[in-house]
Amino acid sequence: MAIKIFFFALLLVASPILQVARCQSESETEPADSTTEGSGDLEIVNEDAQIYGDENFTPASGVDTVCVFPKNSGKLVPAGEETELLVGIKYDGEASVNVIAIKASVHLPFDHHLLVQNLTAQVFNNASVPPSAQATFPYIFAVSKYLQPGTFDLAGTIVYEIDQQPYQSTFYNGTIEVVEPSGFLSIETVFLVMLGIALVVALALWIRGQVQNLSKKSKRAPKVEVGTRSTDASLDEWLQGTAYTQSQSSKLKKKK
C-alpha cells in the first residue's frame, strides 16, 4: 500500500514537468513546419544552432534592411502572445547573402542600456539571397507575460554572411507598445476596477449622510421660551410701595 501511494505521489510531481517538456517540444517543431511549407527551401531551426554566440559584427556595405509589422501599424505587442514582424534585406553587391539568424531585445525607453528581456533568436538554414535581389524573412517573438503594459524600445538585428564573413545590421531600433493580452484581465486591472467601485460607494454613502443631516436640521424647529417671571420680578421691585401695588393687594384681599 505504501509503495502504491509513493508511485502515485511521484506521478503527481512529475506530471507538470512532462507537460512543460511537451509544450517546449511542440513550440520548437511547429514553427519549422509552418514556415517550410510556405517558403520552399527556407527552413527555420531551433535557437541552439550556431549564430556566433553573443558576438557583435559590423554591417556590410551595400546591405539595406527594412522592417514591417504586418497589420499592426501601432506596433502593439500583447504580453505573453506571439507577435510577427517581417524583415526585408537587399544587397547590391556581386556575392550572395547567407542569412544566419534574426534576434532582438527589449530595453527601457528612457535608458537603452537597461535590458528588459532578450527575445528568442530565430535561426535559418538555406536562407541565401542572390545578388541585387531582395528577400523577406519572418520573425516571431513574444515578450514576457509578466511585463507591465507600457512603451518599450525594441532593438532587432539580422546576422548574415557574405563570402563566409559574418556581418550584422540593425533592422529596427524604435518603440513598441506592450499591451495586456486579449481576453485576459490582469491583477492590476482588477485592483483598479475594485478600487474605483469602492470609491464610488464611499462617495455615495457620504452624500447620503450629508443629505440626512441637512433634513434632520431642517425638521427641528427652534424652541422659543416666552416667560414673564424675570420681567414681573423686576416690575415688582420698581412698583413696590406705589398705588398700583396697593390696588393689587386690596384686590387679592377681597378675593380671599
Side-chain angles (χ1 to χ4, degrees):
M1 184 66 181
I3 297 176
K4 292 182 178 180
I5 295 174
F6 173 75
F7 278 110
F8 181 71
L10 184 61
L11 287 174
L12 290 177
V13 173
S15 59
I17 301 175
L18 295 175
Q19 184 68 23
V20 171
R22 180 182 177 186
C23 293
Q24 289 178 348
S25 62
E26 290 178 353
S27 63
E28 289 177 356
T29 55
E30 287 178 358
D33 295 339
S34 61
T35 308
T36 305
E37 291 177 359
S39 56
D41 296 334
L42 177 62
E43 181 182 358
I44 299 177
V45 299
N46 56 37
E47 59 185 68
D48 295 331
Q50 177 67 25
I51 55 171
Y52 300 101
D54 295 329
E55 296 183 34
N56 293 323
F57 306 102
T58 58
S61 59
V63 173
D64 295 325
T65 58
V66 66
C67 174
V68 176
F69 287 79
K71 299 180 181 180
N72 187 6
S73 59
K75 300 179 178 61
L76 304 180
V77 179
E81 296 182 1
E82 290 185 344
T83 302
E84 182 183 14
L85 58 83
L86 301 178
V87 181
I89 183 171
K90 181 181 179 181
Y91 179 50
D92 294 330
E94 297 179 356
S96 60
V97 177
N98 184 24
V99 177
I100 304 298
I102 296 175
K103 57 183 180 178
S105 57
V106 180
H107 304 262
L108 292 180
F110 54 84
D111 190 352
H112 196 77
H113 294 89
L114 296 178
L115 177 65
V116 176
Q117 181 184 358
N118 270 324
L119 301 177
T120 302
Q122 196 153 291
V123 185
F124 302 93
N125 277 345
N126 302 324
S128 181
V129 183
S132 301
Q134 183 176 354
T136 303
F137 299 89
Y139 178 58
I140 300 174
F141 66 94
V143 300
S144 174
K145 63 180 180 180
Y146 302 108
L147 191 61
Q148 293 293 325
T151 303
F152 295 89
D153 281 348
L154 177 68
T157 57
I158 182 170
V159 183
Y160 51 92
E161 288 181 346
I162 300 177
D163 294 332
Q164 297 183 352
Q165 179 69 29
Y167 299 94
Q168 74 176 32
S169 297
T170 300
F171 60 84
Y172 185 77
N173 189 11
T175 59
I176 57 173
E177 188 71 21
V178 177
V179 296
E180 295 181 358
S182 56
F184 178 77
L185 291 178
S186 64
I187 298 177
E188 183 180 357
T189 303
V190 174
F191 173 76
L192 292 176
V193 171
M194 296 300 295
L195 180 61
I197 294 174
L199 291 175
V200 171
V201 172
L203 181 61
L205 292 175
W206 180 80
I207 294 175
R208 181 182 177 185
Q210 294 297 320
V211 172
Q212 289 179 351
N213 290 334
L214 291 175
S215 60
K216 288 180 181 179
K217 290 180 180 180
S218 62
K219 289 179 180 179
R220 293 176 183 174
K223 296 180 179 180
V224 180
E225 295 183 356
V226 180
T228 58
R229 292 182 180 179
S230 59
T231 56
D232 291 345
S234 61
L235 287 174
D236 290 342
E237 292 178 359
W238 284 98
L239 296 175
Q240 189 174 3
T242 61
Y244 176 78
T245 55
Q246 291 177 358
S247 62
Q248 292 293 330
S249 59
S250 61
K251 289 180 182 179
L252 291 174
K253 289 178 181 179
K254 289 179 181 181
K255 287 182 180 179
K256 292 180 179 180

